[in-house]
Amino acid sequence: MAQVFKPAANTIAKLAVFGGAFFLALAVWSLNEFNRSQYMTRTKVAREQPVPFSHKHHNAELGIDCRYCHTSVETSAFAGIPPTQTCMNCHSQIWKDSPMLEPVRASFASNRSLEWVRVHDLPDFVYFNHSIHIHKGIGCVSCHGRVDQMNLTWQQSPLQMEWCLNCHRNPAAAVRPREEVFNMAWKAENQEELGARLVKAYNIESRDDCSVCHR
Amino acid sequence: MSRWGMVIDLNRCTACQGCVSACHEENNVPPSTPDLSAMGRSIRWIDMMPVQEGEYPHATMSVLPMMCQHCEHPPCIKVCPVGATFFSEEEGIVGQIYPRCIGCRYCTTACPYTVRQFNWFEPAVPETYLEGTNPDVSRRYKGVVEKCTLCHHRLQKARDQARAEGRDLLPGEYTPACVEVCPTDAMVFGDLEDRESEVSKKSRSKRAYRLLEDLGTEPKVFYLREGNRQ
């Protein structure tokens, strides 16, 4: 009877053992990468909105402060989506016949809110508080990116827990002077030195207890 | 660092269950039904535990408000395979993160006080309750374990407020719902680390005892024995 396994079978068996381990590692790695990929986090994808609102135009070009619309950002957990009245403060005078703004006028006339699509949507089991971050000197730009350069708004940061913890474990890397929080273009000359100083000055505790965000 | 703890004076407690109602309201604990109760599947973060001491004719009966004892050495944490239950080193609070829980129920078994409850069914929340849901507390779902968290969302809120104002948390700013409503002030809450606090003083009273003390879990809920001893 002829041999079932030819001498080459030894090589194939060895390759299979090595290859198996390799494929397992590859599978784990690719799952990991997939989970952090842009496809999963939906970063840098502009969402479709009822009105193509441009932060770049309103903030950078016209110089309207973040807090003109996001009024409660300094005092509450929620930064606040402006009521249609805020839009109409200006748009009852300028661009008042623009067809693009028809949904705004319709909303104002019918007394029903515009239904904006939420761009930064955290899972419901995460409790994020804007005001405390503002008070401790974390700039808008640290999480939201250069919103003032975005014609249509997209999500800049992955908003995954790993990303939150990066900063919570080392706040010195992101903290800035309180007066520069709303300045989108500000950059520290020496973040390391400044961060360490501000962490002390603002009494920032590096909090990474689960209950800080999950309740 | 703080060690949040509680003293329950059984001389004062009338077992009115105000704390139970307050806890249900505050923490979105769904109301039980007779069916669930019959199966022993009702969820309660705080409950009244009747304890009989002595034999007839010298028997006495007391009712202990029973909730998570927030042990300093919690047995539940050692057995959790996924880190869904955790001990906060800074606060001394035993917490639970529902999205991480896989429902293995090791912790409910490990807990010597049997105060952890498993959601065997999708919580039956009546329609009318939904409007009154507390937005600060996540609602649980079928397949996760839940328990008293000492209302730690209140701690986070109070602390955020204090830190935004650039000061330390003042005593009395953080109080769990059960303590807040207690009509006879039987429950006292505060920082056990602070030796001047009322809760710390009371926890050193001669009447003070903790449940199953010999297990070495070092609970942070103290009970003051009924009687006249000071």
Side-chain angles (χ1 to χ4, degrees):
Chain A
M1 191 183 139
Q3 278 188 337
V4 179
F5 293 108
K6 301 226 162 62
N10 279 341
T11 324
I12 294 172
K14 277 178 197 157
L15 266 179
V17 169
F18 172 75
F22 178 76
F23 271 107
L24 199 70
L26 187 76
V28 170
W29 178 82
S30 29
L31 269 178
N32 233 330
E33 284 297 297
F34 177 67
N35 189 29
R36 292 172 170 81
S37 68
Q38 196 191 346
Y39 175 76
M40 285 300 281
T41 56
R42 295 180 73 198
T43 45
K44 306 202 171 99
V45 182
R47 306 286 201 285
E48 200 164 309
Q49 302 283 4
V51 180
F53 178 83
S54 165
H55 278 95
K56 180 179 177 184
H57 176 64
H58 288 86
N59 179 278
E61 291 166 17
L62 301 175
I64 300 173
D65 192 272
C66 311
R67 289 162 287 181
Y68 181 73
C69 302
H70 303 293
T71 45
S72 55
V73 72
E74 287 173 299
T75 48
S76 113
F78 184 49
I81 291 291
T84 309
Q85 173 64 56
T86 309
C87 311
M88 291 305 275
N89 284 350
C90 300
H91 286 298
S92 58
Q93 304 293 323
I94 47 175
W95 295 107
K96 62 188 171 102
D97 299 318
S98 161
M100 210 191 266
L101 295 179
E102 183 47 43
V104 180
R105 288 190 297 272
S107 148
F108 192 63
S110 64
N111 221 6
R112 287 179 63 109
S113 303
L114 276 165
E115 291 187 21
W116 299 102
V117 175
R118 192 156 195 175
V119 177
H120 292 81
D121 195 9
L122 287 171
D124 291 350
F125 50 82
V126 179
Y127 289 80
F128 177 83
N129 189 337
H130 271 98
S131 63
I132 192 70
H133 289 86
I134 300 273
H135 277 288
K136 294 290 163 182
I138 302 298
C140 309
V141 72
S142 300
C143 306
H144 293 289
R146 289 301 296 270
V147 177
D148 63 327
Q149 300 299 320
M150 293 180 195
N151 271 326
L152 291 175
T153 315
W154 64 75
Q155 178 188 318
Q156 179 73 29
S157 314
L159 304 186
Q160 284 175 330
M161 189 166 124
E162 164 188 67
W163 170 80
C164 299
L165 282 174
N166 276 345
C167 192
H168 268 239
R169 287 181 177 147
N170 179 24
V175 65
R176 54 173 67 201
R178 277 191 188 124
E179 50 283 5
E180 303 296 347
V181 163
F182 296 98
N183 184 350
M184 304 301 273
W186 184 86
K187 272 228 154 54
E189 279 166 25
N190 183 354
Q191 179 66 41
E192 220 168 284
E193 184 265 333
L194 178 79
R197 193 156 49 80
L198 288 180
V199 162
K200 259 204 195 115
Y202 295 164
N203 191 18
I204 297 176
E205 299 161 26
S206 157
R207 301 196 66 84
D208 59 359
D209 247 19
C210 312
S211 56
V212 173
C213 311
H214 303 294
R215 296 164 194 181
Chain B
M1 232 177 63
S2 335
R3 280 290 170 268
W4 300 104
M6 195 184 289
V7 172
I8 302 174
D9 189 341
L10 298 177
N11 259 356
R12 282 168 169 264
C13 177
T14 60
C16 72
Q17 304 198 47
C19 46
V20 181
S21 310
C23 177
H24 275 236
E25 283 293 314
E26 178 73 18
N27 293 301
N28 305 331
V29 181
S32 187
T33 62
D35 289 344
L36 282 175
S37 285
M39 284 187 281
R41 302 290 191 233
S42 345
I43 291 191
R44 289 208 174 90
W45 286 16
I46 180 167
D47 203 358
M48 293 294 156
M49 186 176 75
V51 178
Q52 188 189 329
E53 279 176 294
E55 290 289 321
Y56 178 81
H58 304 291
T60 55
M61 181 75 143
S62 46
V63 184
L64 305 190
M66 185 69 189
M67 81 273 238
C68 173
Q69 305 287 307
H70 294 276
C71 312
E72 196 64 23
H73 305 292
C76 52
I77 282 168
K78 291 182 193 142
V79 298
C80 182
V82 291
T85 178
F86 63 93
F87 180 71
S88 158
E89 293 290 341
E90 261 174 84
E91 319 292 350
I93 295 176
V94 181
Q96 177 87 12
I97 329 167
Y98 317 112
R100 263 199 188 180
C101 178
I102 55 170
C104 68
R105 314 196 300 283
Y106 286 179
C107 56
T108 53
T109 312
C111 175
Y113 306 100
T114 62
V115 289
R116 289 178 155 271
Q117 272 121 22
F118 182 65
N119 282 280
W120 288 90
F121 311 101
E122 205 60 62
V125 185
E127 196 81 349
T128 43
Y129 271 53
L130 290 176
E131 283 172 24
T133 317
N134 183 357
D136 292 331
V137 181
S138 337
R139 293 207 2 239
R140 280 76 57 185
Y141 32 88
K142 182 178 171 178
V144 297
V145 170
E146 59 182 78
K147 66 164 206 75
C148 158
T149 58
L150 272 189
C151 289
H152 66 39
H153 55 284
R154 288 186 169 213
L155 168 64
Q156 306 298 345
K157 248 190 173 173
R159 189 167 44 204
D160 279 354
Q161 182 65 34
R163 296 179 75 222
E165 289 168 18
R167 57 181 172 81
D168 287 332
L169 194 65
L170 300 174
E173 272 187 313
Y174 160 43
T175 320
C178 52
V179 179
E180 198 174 322
V181 296
C182 183
T184 56
D185 289 334
M187 297 171 115
V188 180
F189 182 79
D191 189 357
L192 293 168
E193 284 282 275
D194 176 8
R195 288 185 68 80
E196 292 308 305
S197 69
E198 193 186 355
V199 69
S200 171
K201 280 182 191 158
K202 283 198 166 171
S203 74
R204 280 175 272 132
S205 126
K206 279 188 190 132
R207 289 199 290 137
Y209 71 100
R210 296 183 284 186
L211 295 175
L212 304 179
E213 219 159 350
D214 48 340
L215 293 180
T217 51
E218 293 188 32
K220 285 192 286 296
V221 176
F222 292 78
Y223 292 89
L224 299 189
R225 209 180 297 279
E226 280 175 280
N228 296 323
R229 282 181 291 165
Q230 269 312 303

